[in-house]
Coordinates of all heavy atoms in Angstrom, one line a residue:
M1 N 0.4 -1.1 -6.7 CA 1.2 -1.3 -5.5 C 0.8 -2.5 -4.8 O -0.4 -2.8 -4.6 CB 1.2 0.0 -4.7 CG 2.1 -0.1 -3.5 SD 2.0 1.3 -2.4 CE 2.6 2.6 -3.4
R2 N 1.7 -3.3 -4.2 CA 1.4 -4.5 -3.4 C 0.7 -4.0 -2.1 O 1.0 -3.0 -1.6 CB 2.6 -5.2 -3.1 CG 3.3 -6.0 -4.2 CD 4.6 -6.5 -3.8 NE 4.6 -7.3 -2.6 CZ 4.7 -8.7 -2.6 NH1 5.0 -9.3 -3.6 NH2 4.6 -9.3 -1.4
L3 N -0.2 -4.8 -1.6 CA -0.9 -4.5 -0.4 C 0.0 -4.4 0.8 O -0.2 -3.4 1.6 CB -2.0 -5.6 -0.1 CG -2.8 -5.5 1.1 CD1 -3.6 -4.2 1.1 CD2 -3.8 -6.6 1.2
D4 N 0.9 -5.3 1.0 CA 1.8 -5.2 2.1 C 2.7 -3.9 2.1 O 2.8 -3.2 3.1 CB 2.7 -6.4 2.2 CG 3.6 -6.7 1.0 OD1 3.3 -6.1 -0.1 OD2 4.6 -7.4 1.1
K5 N 3.1 -3.5 0.9 CA 3.8 -2.3 0.8 C 3.0 -1.0 1.0 O 3.4 -0.1 1.7 CB 4.5 -2.2 -0.6 CG 5.4 -1.0 -0.7 CD 6.1 -1.0 -2.0 CE 7.1 0.2 -2.1 NZ 7.9 0.1 -3.3
Y6 N 1.7 -1.1 0.6 CA 0.8 0.1 0.8 C 0.6 0.3 2.2 O 0.6 1.4 2.7 CB -0.5 -0.2 0.0 CG -1.5 1.0 0.2 CD1 -1.3 2.1 -0.5 CD2 -2.5 0.9 1.2 CE1 -2.2 3.2 -0.4 CE2 -3.3 2.0 1.3 CZ -3.2 3.1 0.6 OH -4.0 4.2 0.8
L7 N 0.3 -0.8 3.0 CA 0.0 -0.6 4.4 C 1.3 0.0 5.2 O 1.1 0.7 6.1 CB -0.4 -1.9 5.0 CG -1.7 -2.5 4.6 CD1 -1.9 -3.9 5.2 CD2 -2.8 -1.6 4.9
K8 N 2.4 -0.3 4.7 CA 3.7 0.2 5.3 C 3.9 1.7 4.9 O 4.1 2.6 5.7 CB 4.9 -0.6 4.9 CG 6.1 -0.2 5.6 CD 7.1 0.3 4.6 CE 8.4 0.7 5.3 NZ 8.9 2.0 5.0
V9 N 3.7 2.0 3.6 CA 3.9 3.3 3.1 C 2.9 4.3 3.7 O 3.3 5.4 4.1 CB 3.7 3.4 1.5 CG1 3.7 4.8 1.0 CG2 4.9 2.6 0.9
C10 N 1.7 3.9 3.9 CA 0.7 4.8 4.5 C 0.7 4.8 6.0 O -0.1 5.5 6.7 CB -0.7 4.6 3.9 SG -1.4 3.0 4.4
R11 N 1.7 4.0 6.5 CA 1.9 4.0 8.0 C 0.8 3.5 8.8 O 0.7 3.9 10.0 CB 2.5 5.4 8.4 CG 3.8 5.6 7.8 CD 4.3 7.0 8.2 NE 5.7 7.3 7.8 CZ 6.1 7.5 6.5 NH1 5.3 7.5 5.5 NH2 7.4 7.7 6.3
I12 N 0.0 2.6 8.3 CA -1.0 2.0 9.1 C -0.3 0.9 9.9 O -0.6 0.6 11.1 CB -2.1 1.4 8.3 CG1 -2.9 2.5 7.7 CG2 -3.0 0.4 9.1 CD1 -4.0 2.1 6.7
I13 N 0.7 0.2 9.3 CA 1.5 -0.8 9.9 C 3.0 -0.3 9.7 O 3.4 0.1 8.6 CB 1.3 -2.2 9.3 CG1 -0.2 -2.6 9.6 CG2 2.2 -3.2 9.9 CD1 -0.6 -3.8 9.0
K14 N 3.8 -0.4 10.8 CA 5.1 0.2 10.7 C 6.1 -0.5 9.9 O 7.0 0.1 9.3 CB 5.6 0.4 12.1 CG 4.9 1.4 12.9 CD 5.5 1.7 14.2 CE 4.8 2.7 15.0 NZ 5.4 3.1 16.2
R15 N 6.0 -1.9 9.8 CA 7.0 -2.6 9.0 C 6.4 -3.5 8.0 O 5.3 -4.1 8.3 CB 7.9 -3.5 10.0 CG 8.7 -2.6 10.9 CD 9.6 -3.5 11.8 NE 10.3 -2.7 12.7 CZ 9.9 -2.3 13.9 NH1 8.7 -2.7 14.3 NH2 10.6 -1.6 14.7
R16 N 7.0 -3.7 6.9 CA 6.5 -4.5 5.8 C 6.4 -6.0 6.2 O 5.5 -6.6 5.8 CB 7.3 -4.3 4.6 CG 6.7 -4.9 3.3 CD 7.3 -4.3 2.1 NE 6.8 -5.0 0.9 CZ 7.3 -4.8 -0.3 NH1 8.3 -4.0 -0.5 NH2 6.8 -5.5 -1.3
T17 N 7.4 -6.4 6.9 CA 7.3 -7.9 7.4 C 6.1 -8.1 8.3 O 5.4 -9.1 8.2 CB 8.6 -8.3 8.1 OG1 8.9 -7.4 9.1 CG2 9.8 -8.3 7.1
V18 N 5.8 -7.2 9.1 CA 4.6 -7.3 10.0 C 3.4 -7.2 9.2 O 2.4 -8.0 9.4 CB 4.6 -6.2 11.1 CG1 3.4 -6.2 11.9 CG2 5.9 -6.3 12.0
S19 N 3.4 -6.4 8.2 CA 2.3 -6.2 7.3 C 2.0 -7.6 6.5 O 0.9 -8.0 6.4 CB 2.6 -5.1 6.3 OG 1.5 -5.0 5.3
K20 N 3.1 -8.2 6.1 CA 3.0 -9.5 5.4 C 2.3 -10.5 6.3 O 1.5 -11.3 5.9 CB 4.3 -10.0 4.9 CG 4.8 -9.3 3.7 CD 6.2 -9.9 3.3 CE 6.7 -9.3 2.1 NZ 8.0 -9.8 1.7
D21 N 2.8 -10.6 7.6 CA 2.3 -11.5 8.5 C 0.8 -11.3 8.8 O 0.0 -12.3 8.8 CB 3.1 -11.5 9.8 CG 4.5 -12.0 9.7 OD1 4.8 -12.7 8.7 OD2 5.3 -11.6 10.6
I22 N 0.4 -10.1 9.0 CA -1.0 -9.8 9.3 C -1.9 -10.2 8.2 O -3.0 -10.8 8.4 CB -1.2 -8.3 9.7 CG1 -0.5 -8.0 11.1 CG2 -2.6 -7.9 9.7 CD1 -0.4 -6.6 11.4
I23 N -1.4 -9.9 7.0 CA -2.2 -10.3 5.8 C -2.3 -11.8 5.6 O -3.3 -12.4 5.4 CB -1.6 -9.6 4.5 CG1 -1.7 -8.1 4.6 CG2 -2.3 -10.1 3.3 CD1 -0.9 -7.4 3.6
S24 N -1.1 -12.5 5.8 CA -1.1 -13.9 5.7 C -2.0 -14.7 6.7 O -2.5 -15.7 6.4 CB 0.4 -14.4 5.8 OG 1.1 -13.9 4.8
F25 N -2.1 -14.1 7.9 CA -3.0 -14.7 8.9 C -4.5 -14.4 8.7 O -5.3 -14.8 9.4 CB -2.6 -14.2 10.3 CG -1.3 -14.7 10.8 CD1 -0.4 -13.8 11.4 CD2 -1.0 -16.0 10.8 CE1 0.8 -14.3 11.9 CE2 0.2 -16.5 11.2 CZ 1.1 -15.6 11.8
G26 N -4.8 -13.7 7.6 CA -6.2 -13.5 7.2 C -6.9 -12.4 7.9 O -8.1 -12.3 8.0
Q27 N -6.1 -11.4 8.4 CA -6.7 -10.3 9.2 C -6.9 -9.1 8.3 O -7.3 -8.0 8.8 CB -5.7 -9.9 10.3 CG -5.7 -11.0 11.4 CD -4.7 -10.6 12.5 OE1 -3.5 -10.7 12.3 NE2 -5.2 -10.2 13.6
V28 N -6.7 -9.2 7.0 CA -6.9 -8.1 6.1 C -7.7 -8.6 4.9 O -7.5 -9.6 4.3 CB -5.5 -7.6 5.5 CG1 -5.7 -6.5 4.5 CG2 -4.6 -7.2 6.7
L29 N -8.8 -7.8 4.6 CA -9.6 -8.0 3.4 C -9.4 -6.9 2.4 O -9.3 -5.7 2.8 CB -11.1 -8.1 3.8 CG -11.5 -9.1 4.9 CD1 -13.0 -9.0 5.2 CD2 -11.2 -10.5 4.4
L30 N -9.4 -7.2 1.2 CA -9.3 -6.2 0.1 C -10.6 -6.3 -0.7 O -10.8 -7.4 -1.3 CB -8.1 -6.5 -0.8 CG -7.8 -5.6 -2.0 CD1 -7.6 -4.1 -1.5 CD2 -6.6 -6.0 -2.8
N31 N -11.4 -5.3 -0.7 CA -12.7 -5.3 -1.3 C -13.6 -6.5 -0.9 O -14.2 -7.2 -1.7 CB -12.6 -5.3 -2.8 CG -11.9 -4.0 -3.3 OD1 -12.1 -2.9 -2.8 ND2 -11.0 -4.1 -4.3
N32 N -13.5 -6.7 0.5 CA -14.3 -7.8 1.1 C -13.9 -9.2 0.7 O -14.7 -10.1 0.8 CB -15.8 -7.6 0.9 CG -16.3 -6.4 1.6 OD1 -15.9 -6.1 2.7 ND2 -17.2 -5.6 1.0
K33 N -12.7 -9.4 0.2 CA -12.2 -10.7 -0.1 C -10.9 -10.9 0.6 O -10.1 -9.9 0.8 CB -11.9 -10.8 -1.6 CG -13.2 -10.7 -2.5 CD -12.9 -10.8 -3.9 CE -14.2 -10.6 -4.7 NZ -13.9 -10.3 -6.1
K34 N -10.6 -12.1 1.0 CA -9.3 -12.4 1.7 C -8.2 -12.1 0.7 O -8.2 -12.4 -0.4 CB -9.3 -13.9 2.0 CG -8.2 -14.2 3.0 CD -8.2 -15.7 3.4 CE -7.1 -16.0 4.3 NZ -7.1 -17.3 4.8
A35 N -7.2 -11.4 1.3 CA -6.1 -10.8 0.5 C -4.8 -11.6 0.7 O -4.7 -12.3 1.7 CB -5.9 -9.4 0.8
K36 N -3.9 -11.4 -0.2 CA -2.5 -11.9 -0.1 C -1.6 -10.7 0.0 O -2.0 -9.6 -0.5 CB -2.1 -12.8 -1.3 CG -2.9 -14.0 -1.5 CD -2.4 -14.8 -2.7 CE -3.2 -16.0 -3.0 NZ -2.8 -16.7 -4.2
P37 N -0.4 -10.9 0.6 CA 0.5 -9.8 0.6 C 0.8 -9.2 -0.8 O 1.0 -8.0 -0.9 CB 1.8 -10.3 1.2 CG 1.3 -11.5 2.0 CD 0.1 -12.0 1.3
S38 N 0.8 -10.0 -1.8 CA 1.1 -9.5 -3.1 C -0.1 -9.0 -3.9 O 0.0 -8.6 -5.1 CB 1.7 -10.7 -3.9 OG 0.8 -11.7 -4.1
S39 N -1.3 -8.9 -3.3 CA -2.5 -8.4 -3.9 C -2.2 -7.0 -4.4 O -1.7 -6.2 -3.6 CB -3.7 -8.4 -3.0 OG -4.0 -9.8 -2.6
E40 N -2.7 -6.6 -5.6 CA -2.5 -5.3 -6.1 C -3.6 -4.3 -5.5 O -4.8 -4.7 -5.6 CB -2.6 -5.3 -7.6 CG -1.3 -5.7 -8.3 CD -0.2 -4.8 -8.1 OE1 -0.3 -3.6 -8.2 OE2 0.9 -5.3 -7.7
V41 N -3.2 -3.2 -5.0 CA -4.1 -2.2 -4.5 C -4.2 -1.1 -5.6 O -3.3 -0.7 -6.2 CB -3.5 -1.6 -3.2 CG1 -4.4 -0.4 -2.7 CG2 -3.3 -2.6 -2.2
K42 N -5.5 -0.7 -5.8 CA -5.8 0.4 -6.7 C -6.5 1.5 -6.0 O -7.1 1.3 -5.0 CB -6.6 -0.2 -7.9 CG -5.9 -1.2 -8.7 CD -6.7 -1.7 -9.9 CE -7.6 -2.8 -9.7 NZ -7.6 -4.0 -9.0
V43 N -6.6 2.7 -6.6 CA -7.3 3.8 -6.1 C -8.8 3.4 -6.0 O -9.3 2.7 -6.9 CB -7.1 5.0 -6.9 CG1 -8.0 6.2 -6.4 CG2 -5.7 5.5 -6.9
N44 N -9.4 3.8 -4.9 CA -10.8 3.5 -4.6 C -11.1 2.1 -4.1 O -12.2 1.7 -3.9 CB -11.8 3.8 -5.7 CG -11.9 5.3 -6.0 OD1 -11.8 6.1 -5.1 ND2 -12.0 5.6 -7.3
D45 N -10.0 1.3 -3.8 CA -10.2 0.0 -3.2 C -10.5 0.2 -1.7 O -10.2 1.2 -1.2 CB -8.9 -0.9 -3.3 CG -8.8 -1.6 -4.7 OD1 -9.7 -1.5 -5.5 OD2 -7.7 -2.1 -4.9
Y46 N -11.2 -0.8 -1.1 CA -11.5 -0.8 0.3 C -10.6 -1.9 1.0 O -10.6 -3.0 0.5 CB -13.0 -1.1 0.6 CG -13.8 0.1 0.1 CD1 -14.3 0.2 -1.2 CD2 -14.1 1.1 1.0 CE1 -15.1 1.3 -1.6 CE2 -14.8 2.3 0.6 CZ -15.3 2.3 -0.7 OH -16.1 3.4 -1.1
I47 N -10.0 -1.5 2.1 CA -9.2 -2.4 2.9 C -9.7 -2.5 4.2 O -10.0 -1.5 4.9 CB -7.7 -2.0 2.9 CG1 -7.1 -1.9 1.5 CG2 -6.9 -2.9 3.8 CD1 -5.7 -1.2 1.4
T48 N -10.0 -3.7 4.7 CA -10.5 -3.9 6.1 C -9.4 -4.7 6.9 O -9.0 -5.7 6.5 CB -11.8 -4.7 6.1 OG1 -12.8 -4.0 5.3 CG2 -12.4 -4.9 7.5
L49 N -9.0 -4.1 8.0 CA -8.0 -4.6 8.8 C -8.6 -5.0 10.2 O -9.3 -4.2 10.8 CB -6.8 -3.7 9.1 CG -6.1 -3.2 7.9 CD1 -6.5 -1.8 7.5 CD2 -4.6 -3.3 8.1
T50 N -8.2 -6.2 10.7 CA -8.6 -6.5 12.1 C -7.3 -6.5 12.9 O -6.5 -7.4 12.7 CB -9.3 -7.9 12.1 OG1 -10.4 -7.9 11.2 CG2 -9.7 -8.3 13.5
L51 N -7.3 -5.5 13.8 CA -6.1 -5.4 14.6 C -6.5 -5.4 16.1 O -7.1 -4.5 16.6 CB -5.4 -4.0 14.3 CG -5.0 -3.8 12.8 CD1 -4.6 -2.3 12.7 CD2 -3.9 -4.7 12.5
G52 N -6.2 -6.6 16.7 CA -6.6 -6.8 18.1 C -8.1 -6.8 18.2 O -8.8 -7.6 17.5
S53 N -8.7 -5.9 19.0 CA -10.2 -5.8 19.1 C -10.8 -4.7 18.3 O -11.9 -4.4 18.5 CB -10.5 -5.6 20.6 OG -10.0 -4.3 21.0
R54 N -10.0 -4.2 17.3 CA -10.5 -3.1 16.4 C -10.6 -3.6 15.0 O -9.8 -4.4 14.6 CB -9.6 -1.9 16.5 CG -9.6 -1.2 17.8 CD -8.8 0.1 17.7 NE -8.0 0.2 16.5 CZ -7.2 1.3 16.3 NH1 -7.1 2.2 17.2 NH2 -6.5 1.3 15.2
E55 N -11.6 -3.2 14.3 CA -11.7 -3.4 12.9 C -11.8 -2.1 12.2 O -12.7 -1.3 12.5 CB -13.0 -4.3 12.6 CG -13.1 -4.6 11.1 CD -14.2 -5.5 10.8 OE1 -14.1 -6.8 11.0 OE2 -15.3 -5.0 10.4
I56 N -10.9 -1.8 11.2 CA -10.8 -0.6 10.5 C -11.0 -0.8 9.0 O -10.4 -1.7 8.5 CB -9.5 0.1 10.8 CG1 -9.2 0.3 12.3 CG2 -9.4 1.4 10.0 CD1 -7.8 0.6 12.6
T57 N -11.9 0.0 8.4 CA -12.1 -0.1 7.0 C -11.7 1.3 6.4 O -12.1 2.3 6.9 CB -13.6 -0.3 6.6 OG1 -14.0 -1.6 7.2 CG2 -13.8 -0.4 5.1
I58 N -10.8 1.2 5.4 CA -10.3 2.4 4.8 C -10.5 2.3 3.3 O -10.6 1.3 2.7 CB -8.8 2.6 5.0 CG1 -7.9 1.5 4.4 CG2 -8.5 2.8 6.5 CD1 -6.4 1.8 4.4
Q59 N -10.5 3.5 2.7 CA -10.6 3.6 1.2 C -9.3 4.2 0.7 O -8.8 5.2 1.3 CB -11.8 4.5 0.8 CG -11.9 4.7 -0.7 CD -13.0 5.6 -1.1 OE1 -13.6 6.3 -0.3 NE2 -13.3 5.6 -2.4
V60 N -8.8 3.6 -0.3 CA -7.5 4.0 -0.9 C -7.8 5.2 -1.7 O -8.6 5.2 -2.7 CB -6.9 2.9 -1.8 CG1 -5.6 3.4 -2.4 CG2 -6.6 1.7 -0.9
L61 N -7.1 6.4 -1.4 CA -7.3 7.6 -2.2 C -6.1 7.9 -3.1 O -6.3 8.5 -4.2 CB -7.4 8.8 -1.2 CG -8.5 8.8 -0.2 CD1 -8.5 10.0 0.7 CD2 -9.9 8.7 -1.0
S62 N -4.9 7.4 -2.8 CA -3.8 7.7 -3.6 C -2.7 6.6 -3.4 O -2.7 5.9 -2.4 CB -3.2 9.0 -3.2 OG -2.0 9.3 -4.0
L63 N -1.9 6.4 -4.4 CA -0.8 5.4 -4.4 C 0.5 6.1 -4.6 O 1.0 6.3 -5.8 CB -1.0 4.3 -5.5 CG -2.3 3.5 -5.4 CD1 -2.4 2.6 -6.6 CD2 -2.3 2.7 -4.1
N64 N 1.2 6.6 -3.6 CA 2.5 7.2 -3.7 C 3.5 6.3 -3.0 O 3.3 6.0 -1.8 CB 2.5 8.6 -3.1 CG 1.6 9.6 -3.8 OD1 1.3 9.3 -5.0 ND2 1.2 10.6 -3.2
E65 N 4.6 6.0 -3.6 CA 5.6 5.1 -3.0 C 6.5 5.9 -2.0 O 7.0 5.4 -1.0 CB 6.4 4.4 -4.0 CG 5.6 3.4 -4.8 CD 6.5 2.5 -5.6 OE1 7.6 2.2 -5.2 OE2 6.0 1.9 -6.6
K66 N 6.7 7.2 -2.3 CA 7.5 8.0 -1.4 C 6.7 9.2 -0.9 O 6.2 10.0 -1.7 CB 8.7 8.6 -2.2 CG 9.6 7.5 -2.9 CD 10.9 7.4 -2.2 CE 11.7 6.3 -3.0 NZ 12.6 5.7 -2.2
I67 N 6.5 9.2 0.4 CA 5.7 10.3 1.0 C 6.2 10.6 2.4 O 6.7 9.7 3.1 CB 4.2 9.9 1.0 CG1 3.3 11.1 1.3 CG2 3.9 8.8 1.9 CD1 1.9 10.9 0.8
K68 N 6.1 11.8 2.8 CA 6.5 12.2 4.1 C 5.5 11.7 5.2 O 4.3 11.5 4.9 CB 6.6 13.7 4.2 CG 7.6 14.3 3.4 CD 7.7 15.8 3.6 CE 8.7 16.4 2.6 NZ 8.7 17.9 2.7
K69 N 6.1 11.5 6.4 CA 5.3 10.9 7.5 C 4.0 11.7 7.7 O 2.9 11.2 7.9 CB 6.1 10.9 8.7 CG 5.5 10.3 9.9 CD 6.4 10.2 11.1 CE 5.8 9.6 12.3 NZ 6.7 9.5 13.4
E70 N 4.1 13.0 7.7 CA 3.0 13.9 8.0 C 1.9 13.8 6.9 O 0.8 14.1 7.1 CB 3.4 15.4 8.1 CG 4.5 15.6 9.1 CD 5.9 15.3 8.7 OE1 6.2 15.4 7.5 OE2 6.7 14.8 9.6
E71 N 2.3 13.5 5.7 CA 1.4 13.4 4.5 C 0.8 12.0 4.3 O -0.1 11.8 3.4 CB 2.1 13.9 3.3 CG 2.5 15.3 3.4 CD 3.4 15.7 2.2 OE1 3.8 14.8 1.4 OE2 3.8 16.9 2.1
A72 N 1.2 11.1 5.1 CA 0.7 9.7 4.9 C -0.8 9.5 5.0 O -1.4 8.7 4.4 CB 1.5 8.7 5.8
I73 N -1.4 10.3 5.9 CA -2.8 10.3 6.1 C -3.6 10.6 4.9 O -4.8 10.3 4.8 CB -3.2 11.2 7.4 CG1 -4.6 10.9 7.8 CG2 -3.0 12.6 7.1 CD1 -4.8 9.7 8.7
T74 N -3.0 11.3 3.9 CA -3.7 11.7 2.7 C -3.9 10.6 1.7 O -4.6 10.7 0.7 CB -3.0 12.9 2.0 OG1 -1.7 12.5 1.6 CG2 -2.9 14.1 3.0
L75 N -3.2 9.5 2.0 CA -3.3 8.3 1.1 C -4.6 7.5 1.2 O -4.9 6.7 0.4 CB -2.1 7.4 1.3 CG -0.7 7.9 1.0 CD1 0.4 6.9 1.3 CD2 -0.6 8.4 -0.5
Y76 N -5.3 7.7 2.4 CA -6.5 6.9 2.6 C -7.5 7.7 3.4 O -7.2 8.7 4.0 CB -6.1 5.6 3.3 CG -5.5 5.8 4.7 CD1 -6.3 5.9 5.8 CD2 -4.2 6.0 4.9 CE1 -5.8 6.0 7.1 CE2 -3.6 6.1 6.1 CZ -4.4 6.2 7.2 OH -3.9 6.4 8.5
K77 N -8.7 7.2 3.4 CA -9.8 7.8 4.2 C -10.4 6.7 5.1 O -10.7 5.6 4.5 CB -10.8 8.4 3.3 CG -12.0 9.0 4.0 CD -13.0 9.7 3.1 CE -13.8 8.8 2.3 NZ -14.8 9.5 1.5
I78 N -10.5 6.9 6.4 CA -11.2 5.9 7.2 C -12.7 5.9 7.0 O -13.3 7.0 7.2 CB -10.8 6.2 8.7 CG1 -9.3 6.1 8.9 CG2 -11.6 5.2 9.6 CD1 -8.8 6.4 10.3
I79 N -13.2 4.8 6.6 CA -14.6 4.7 6.4 C -15.4 4.3 7.6 O -16.4 4.8 7.9 CB -14.9 3.7 5.2 CG1 -14.1 4.0 3.9 CG2 -16.4 3.5 5.0 CD1 -14.6 5.4 3.3
E80 N -14.8 3.3 8.3 CA -15.4 2.8 9.5 C -14.4 2.2 10.5 O -13.4 1.6 10.1 CB -16.4 1.6 9.1 CG -17.2 1.1 10.3 CD -18.1 -0.1 9.9 OE1 -17.9 -0.7 8.8 OE2 -19.1 -0.3 10.6
E81 N -14.6 2.5 11.8 CA -13.7 2.0 12.8 C -14.6 1.5 13.9 O -15.4 2.3 14.5 CB -12.8 3.1 13.3 CG -11.7 2.6 14.2 CD -10.6 3.6 14.4 OE1 -10.7 4.7 13.9 OE2 -9.8 3.3 15.3
K82 N -14.5 0.2 14.3 CA -15.4 -0.3 15.4 C -14.6 -1.3 16.3 O -13.6 -1.9 15.9 CB -16.6 -0.9 14.8 CG -16.3 -2.1 13.9 CD -17.6 -2.7 13.3 CE -17.3 -3.8 12.3 NZ -18.5 -4.3 11.7
E83 N -15.1 -1.4 17.5 CA -14.6 -2.4 18.4 C -15.3 -3.7 18.2 O -16.5 -3.8 18.0 CB -14.9 -1.9 19.9 CG -14.1 -0.7 20.3 CD -12.6 -1.0 20.5 OE1 -12.3 -2.1 21.0 OE2 -11.8 -0.1 20.1
I84 N -14.5 -4.8 18.3 CA -15.0 -6.1 18.1 C -15.0 -6.8 19.4 O -14.0 -6.8 20.1 CB -14.2 -6.9 17.1 CG1 -14.2 -6.2 15.7 CG2 -14.7 -8.3 16.9 CD1 -13.2 -6.9 14.8
K85 N -16.1 -7.4 19.8 CA -16.1 -8.2 21.1 C -15.7 -9.6 20.8 O -16.0 -10.2 19.8 CB -17.5 -8.2 21.6 CG -18.0 -6.9 22.2 CD -19.3 -7.1 22.8 CE -19.8 -5.7 23.4 NZ -21.1 -5.8 24.1
S86 N -14.9 -10.1 21.7 CA -14.4 -11.5 21.5 C -15.6 -12.4 21.9 O -16.5 -12.1 22.6 CB -13.2 -11.8 22.4 OG -13.6 -11.7 23.8
P87 N -15.5 -13.7 21.4 CA -16.6 -14.6 21.8 C -16.7 -14.9 23.3 O -17.8 -15.1 23.8 CB -16.2 -15.9 21.1 CG -15.2 -15.5 20.0 CD -14.6 -14.2 20.5
I88 N -15.6 -14.7 24.0 CA -15.7 -14.8 25.5 C -16.5 -13.7 26.1 O -17.3 -14.0 27.1 CB -14.2 -14.8 26.0 CG1 -13.5 -16.0 25.5 CG2 -14.3 -14.9 27.6 CD1 -12.0 -16.0 25.7
E89 N -16.4 -12.5 25.6 CA -17.1 -11.3 26.1 C -18.6 -11.4 25.8 O -19.4 -10.8 26.5 CB -16.6 -10.0 25.6 CG -15.2 -9.8 26.1 CD -14.6 -8.5 25.5 OE1 -15.3 -7.8 24.8 OE2 -13.4 -8.3 25.6
A90 N -19.0 -12.0 24.7 CA -20.4 -12.0 24.2 C -21.3 -12.8 25.1 O -21.1 -13.4 26.0 CB -20.4 -12.6 22.8

């Protein structure tokens, strides 16, 4: 499954176009490498997202294209979530 679609399906990001933009700006790493929206996601891959002042690392547990909103959390496991200080605050 494409990375931009996966982020939308698992409801980490609400819209696929927003997902594409975030990935294109370099705010998403796939297995610690800069990713493209079309990068293929596989089970057990690690995705690191930088969203504002937060950095979230998740592990892909499942790849389902159709899933209910309540079950979306079962597609991934949060490995690490941390606050990032901006260079101005440091």
Side-chain angles (χ1 to χ4, degrees):
M1 180 184 298
R2 288 173 53 111
L3 178 58
D4 58 342
K5 185 172 183 176
Y6 181 79
L7 293 176
K8 189 244 183 231
V9 168
C10 68
R11 291 174 172 78
I12 292 175
I13 299 174
K14 290 186 179 186
R15 291 184 186 88
R16 191 165 172 185
T17 54
V18 174
S19 178
K20 283 182 182 182
D21 291 342
I22 290 171
I23 297 166
S24 296
F25 288 133
Q27 294 176 285
V28 179
L29 302 175
L30 180 63
N31 296 322
N32 292 322
K33 296 178 185 165
K34 191 172 179 180
K36 295 181 182 178
S38 62
S39 298
E40 281 296 311
V41 176
K42 297 182 272 318
V43 174
N44 292 325
D45 279 351
Y46 290 90
I47 301 171
T48 303
L49 299 106
T50 304
L51 303 170
S53 63
R54 293 183 349 179
E55 184 176 276
I56 303 166
T57 302
I58 63 169
Q59 180 182 9
V60 177
L61 299 178
S62 179
L63 300 171
N64 294 340
E65 292 194 26
K66 305 250 184 207
I67 193 160
K68 293 180 182 178
K69 183 178 181 180
E70 302 80 34
E71 298 171 354
I73 192 80
T74 64
L75 296 178
Y76 63 93
K77 177 172 77 172
I78 297 176
I79 302 298
E80 183 179 22
E81 189 171 356
K82 61 184 177 182
E83 291 289 322
I84 300 172
K85 290 187 177 181
S86 69
I88 297 169
E89 294 176 10

